[in-house]
Amino acid sequence: MSFYADTRAEADEILREFGRALTLTRRVSGAYDTATGTASVTATEYSGRGAVFDYPARLIDGTHVLRGDKRIVMSAQGLSVVPAPGDAITLGDV
């Protein structure tokens, strides 16, 4: 294996062993219904494992990163979607 493949495999192993179960939820708006004035929303859930970290104070700028924001490192192994802005991550009941 290459250096990067080895590193990816090791990171995935660490996340599987020490990470937490999480759910990534992607919501997609459907067709707009003129009769009701609303659009349907479809939510699709993807299971994975990851680790949660606080942002260091030097990265909290009050615009892009707010106090209390969390950073998640998630294993891509077996994940059938690429996380995108607007996706929600659920860890336990949070």
Side-chain angles (χ1 to χ4, degrees), residues 32-87:
Y32 180 76
D33 184 345
T34 56
T36 63
T38 61
S40 62
V41 176
T42 302
T44 306
E45 295 184 346
Y46 304 90
S47 297
R49 294 198 65 83
V52 180
F53 301 94
D54 291 323
Y55 277 97
R58 65 183 170 76
L59 294 180
I60 299 171
D61 63 6
T63 302
H64 297 97
V65 180
L66 305 175
R67 187 173 314 282
D69 282 355
K70 301 290 184 188
R71 216 173 7 176
I72 296 177
V73 175
M74 184 175 177
S75 173
Q77 188 72 25
L79 193 62
S80 61
V81 65
V82 175
D87 289 346

Side-chain angles (χ1 to χ4, degrees), residues 7-50:
T7 303
R8 181 181 62 210
E10 186 174 331
D12 183 62
E13 182 179 327
I14 290 168
L15 287 171
R16 276 188 281 121
E17 186 174 346
F18 299 106
R20 296 173 55 187
L22 56 82
T23 303
L24 182 144
T25 304
R26 176 162 295 163
R27 290 179 176 80
V28 179
S29 293
Y32 180 76
D33 184 345
T34 56
T36 63
T38 61
S40 62
V41 176
T42 302
T44 306
E45 295 184 346
Y46 304 90
S47 297
R49 294 198 65 83

